Amino acid sequence: MQNKTGLGDEDLRRELALHTDKYQINMMYAHWVNGTHKRKAVFEAYFRKLPFGNGFAVFAGLERITQYISDLRFTEEDVRYLSEQEENYAPAFLEELLQFHFKGNIHAMKEGAIVFPDEPLVRVEGTIMEAQLVETAILNFMNYQTLIATKASRIKQVAPNDILLEFGTRRAQEADAAVWGARAAYIGGFHATSNMLAGRMFGIPTKGTHAHSWVQSFSSEQEAFDAYAKVMPDGVTLLVDTFDTLRSGVPHAINTAKKLEAQGKRMNGIRLDSGDLAYLSQQARKMLDEAGLDYVKIVASNDLDENTIMDLKLQGAAIDTWGVGTQLITAADQPSLGGVYKLVEIESASGEMIPTIKISSNPEKVSTPGKKEVFRIVGTNGKAMADYINFPDEAAPRNGARIKLFNPLHPYLRKNVDKYEALPMLEPIFVNGFQVYSLPPLEEIRRYHEQQLDLFWPEYLRKLNPEVYRVNLSEQVWNRKQQLIAEHMQLDQLDNE
């Protein structure tokens, strides 16, 4: 049975309450013992630094986060396991876990959104107990899928008019990474995946050729090609580098293509998986064209990423389709996004919500206090000029009033803007524990990502040395942050006297 997300019920039936770090359970227990577990709290998830030296990131993972929150329950088996832990959790605490379900609020960016450092991607409001529990899973899903979607979009930037195939399953870090990574790659601009489960679960188009073992299992390469084409005459792509690409593989593929033509069929393509891809593709293209097979496409694989694809294009490679595997699905040049989840408000004894800050000797790790909204400020030319972070009770930029944009690191770099469109970036996903957001079809997410890219000048999207897009704080947010830093510095000074 399929539900509205495209997933079968059996795909969703996974108990993930214990998909968390032990210290989350310990903190929940300590709050419970202290009687503070029902204090209201606000946490925000964000990352501090863009991956791959890129100018932007692509938010992904919301669908899995939403499913996780909706299904979040502790089972009898979970509680039995917790009862065996060395902490000796009180039976009454464990009994309360059996009644647990998320009752708070979650706001998040839409999947496919272009996002930047230090802006909230997911905001969680609830009791300290429930908001603490969901941290690990939210970061796990957000960090991985955002990383892969960003890598995919980065590859798309260097091959905007080519077909991109995700071929990473066998090199992914286990099954979940392969399946959800394929989905993230599709959001980022890839056209198909080799993973059949991802295809079934999410409706992603699937593509595949054949392995070298197919050719090796026959007495000759020609026999192997002809047999394969006979079985699938309407969409065959032949792997031509098992023995000798130009002396054997391509000539035999041409023979097979001619036999298909005699049947009124057309061969789809040939695939190169080793050697000098620029030279081999150029020579193969020449051989195919001379044989009257200009319609036959050339697919390339072999440890490709955006750097090798860009280099091959500069060398004039005659490649139409790129099969990208290991480098994409593992994000090999940066295998972690490094997103964090920080407490920004906590309920006081009087019931007032108090902004909190994390102070660090590393300036980039100092958090920004208070529950916040994010707006994308778009100029009259239809292009994004900055993102703007403010408190929910601030009128601007909702009402179009003049706003001051300034660089948080260099506040003297500023300008006033009064003609703009302010696009709210955080969507309500859960309100009082109820899901209020309808998960969009994957094709809609993919189109949204393309629309997001259109908001930005090419300077922000380029692969090498992109222009830095500014994320601005409102004056109220900036002043509150400086105030709390000063207060903590004063306390530290008093403690040292």
Side-chain angles (χ1 to χ4, degrees):
M1 180 180 176
Q2 295 285 309
N3 62 32
K4 65 181 180 180
T5 69
L7 301 181
D9 291 341
E10 68 277 7
D11 298 311
L12 297 175
R13 249 184 251 123
R14 293 190 59 190
E15 305 298 343
L16 292 176
L18 292 184
H19 184 52
T20 189
D21 293 305
K22 191 172 192 178
Y23 80 162
Q24 309 287 16
I25 302 293
N26 285 347
M27 286 188 288
M28 291 167 64
Y29 182 54
H31 276 299
W32 183 84
V33 171
N34 289 325
T36 55
H37 59 298
K38 293 187 178 180
R39 290 175 72 191
K40 295 177 182 178
V42 181
F43 286 80
E44 291 174 348
Y46 58 95
F47 61 88
R48 299 185 178 112
K49 184 178 179 182
L50 286 163
F52 316 116
N54 212 38
F56 66 94
V58 181
F59 177 64
L62 179 59
E63 182 166 310
R64 194 159 201 210
I65 290 170
T66 302
Q67 293 165 3
Y68 160 75
I69 295 294
S70 295
D71 298 338
L72 185 53
R73 303 288 189 277
F74 285 89
T75 65
E76 294 280 358
E77 290 78 10
D78 293 336
V79 169
R80 188 176 302 112
Y81 174 73
L82 289 173
S83 71
E84 299 167 353
Q85 300 301 301
E86 62 185 359
E87 286 78 6
N88 292 318
Y89 304 119
F93 170 71
L94 298 178
E95 184 63 31
E96 187 161 333
L97 291 185
L98 284 174
Q99 311 305 316
F100 177 92
H101 65 273
F102 185 83
K103 298 179 182 178
N105 305 325
I106 293 181
H107 287 69
M109 298 281 189
K110 293 167 66 175
E111 284 195 284
I114 300 298
V115 295
F116 301 94
D118 299 316
E119 57 186 18
L121 307 183
V122 181
R123 189 179 75 213
V124 178
E125 306 170 62
T127 66
I128 187 71
M129 184 166 162
E130 61 188 348
Q132 201 74 70
L133 172 65
V134 301
E135 172 183 357
T136 300
I138 286 177
L139 287 178
N140 178 213
F141 303 147
M142 179 193 88
N143 279 340
Y144 175 68
Q145 292 191 48
T146 298
L147 190 71
I148 303 306
T150 304
K151 183 74 168 176
S153 187
R154 182 171 161 85
I155 294 170
K156 178 73 171 178
Q157 297 305 306
V158 303
N161 301 314
D162 299 341
I163 300 298
L164 300 171
L165 309 177
E166 184 278 309
F167 279 179
T169 295
R170 64 189 61 196
R171 304 288 172 77
Q173 279 89 352
E174 250 286 352
D176 280 1
V179 170
W180 290 94
R183 180 182 181 277
Y186 193 67
I187 290 172
F190 271 58
H191 298 90
T193 179
S194 64
N195 188 292
M196 297 299 290
L197 182 57
R200 181 182 71 82
M201 288 173 63
F202 307 120
I204 303 171
T206 55
K207 296 290 184 182
T209 58
H210 63 76
H212 295 104
S213 60
W214 172 264
V215 177
Q216 292 172 282
S217 67
F218 287 81
S219 60
S220 72
E221 188 174 48
Q222 188 68 70
E223 181 185 359
F225 287 175
D226 289 347
Y228 197 73
K230 183 178 180 180
V231 174
M232 286 174 284
D234 295 311
V236 64
T237 297
L238 299 174
L239 181 60
V240 296
D241 71 332
T242 303
F243 302 119
D244 189 307
T245 299
L246 299 180
R247 293 181 182 179
S248 172
V250 176
H252 287 147
I254 289 173
N255 291 338
T256 300
K258 289 299 183 180
K259 294 173 184 177
L260 285 170
E261 281 188 340
Q263 303 169 33
K265 305 290 186 180
R266 281 190 165 193
M267 190 167 77
N268 184 59
I270 63 169
R271 176 178 157 216
L272 306 172
D273 190 47
S274 62
D276 185 333
L277 296 179
Y279 173 76
L280 291 174
S281 66
Q282 291 165 351
Q283 294 304 308
R285 181 76 273 157
K286 181 179 179 182
M287 294 166 69
L288 290 167
D289 290 350
E290 288 176 349
L293 301 171
D294 57 333
Y295 59 84
V296 174
K297 304 298 185 183
I298 297 179
V299 182
S301 51
N302 189 25
D303 247 10
L304 298 174
D305 65 4
E306 66 272 33
N307 299 307
T308 53
I309 291 173
M310 186 175 73
D311 288 345
L312 286 166
K313 283 184 163 292
L314 290 173
Q315 295 171 54
I319 296 169
D320 308 289
T321 300
W322 307 88
V324 187
T326 305
Q327 302 297 317
L328 168 62
I329 205 69
T330 65
D333 49 340
Q334 185 172 328
S336 175
L337 180 65
V340 296
Y341 182 91
K342 296 300 177 186
L343 179 69
V344 296
E345 278 190 5
I346 188 71
E347 184 181 19
S348 69
S350 64
E352 181 185 5
M353 295 301 292
I354 305 297
T356 67
I357 190 170
K358 175 185 181 295
I359 303 292
S360 173
S361 56
N362 299 112
E364 70 276 6
K365 290 190 173 184
V366 177
S367 64
T368 300
K371 180 172 78 172
K372 297 173 288 296
E373 298 285 353
V374 183
F375 291 88
R376 184 144 295 158
I377 306 303
V378 179
T380 55
N381 58 8
K383 294 296 183 182
M385 62 178 75
D387 280 11
Y388 186 83
I389 297 176
N390 64 352
F391 292 134
D393 59 358
E394 294 186 59
R398 278 194 179 88
N399 60 7
R402 172 176 287 195
I403 55 175
K404 181 183 292 184
L405 302 180
F406 63 92
N407 187 330
L409 297 178
H410 308 287
Y412 63 89
L413 296 175
R414 64 181 65 193
K415 66 176 178 179
N416 293 319
V417 179
D418 54 13
K419 293 181 179 179
Y420 61 88
E421 181 183 6
L423 304 178
M425 297 301 292
L426 292 173
E427 294 277 335
I429 311 299
F430 288 87
V431 174
N432 298 325
F434 293 97
Q435 183 178 333
V436 297
Y437 180 74
S438 296
L439 293 170
L442 193 54
E443 291 295 337
E444 184 178 323
I445 296 171
R446 182 181 167 88
R447 286 194 298 272
Y448 176 69
H449 173 57
E450 293 171 352
Q451 293 164 3
Q452 284 276 290
L453 289 170
D454 287 342
L455 286 176
F456 293 86
W457 295 107
E459 290 83 351
Y460 297 115
L461 306 178
R462 65 190 177 212
K463 183 174 104 47
L464 295 175
N465 300 316
E467 180 64 27
V468 176
Y469 181 80
R470 299 299 178 190
V471 176
N472 297 265
L473 303 179
S474 73
E475 289 189 274
Q476 285 192 40
V477 173
W478 167 260
N479 291 335
R480 178 59 62 88
K481 184 173 184 177
Q482 301 311 308
Q483 174 193 347
L484 290 185
I485 290 174
E487 289 175 0
H488 280 276
M489 295 297 290
Q490 185 176 12
L491 289 173
D492 287 344
Q493 186 176 1
L494 291 173
D495 289 341
N496 291 327
E497 289 179 357

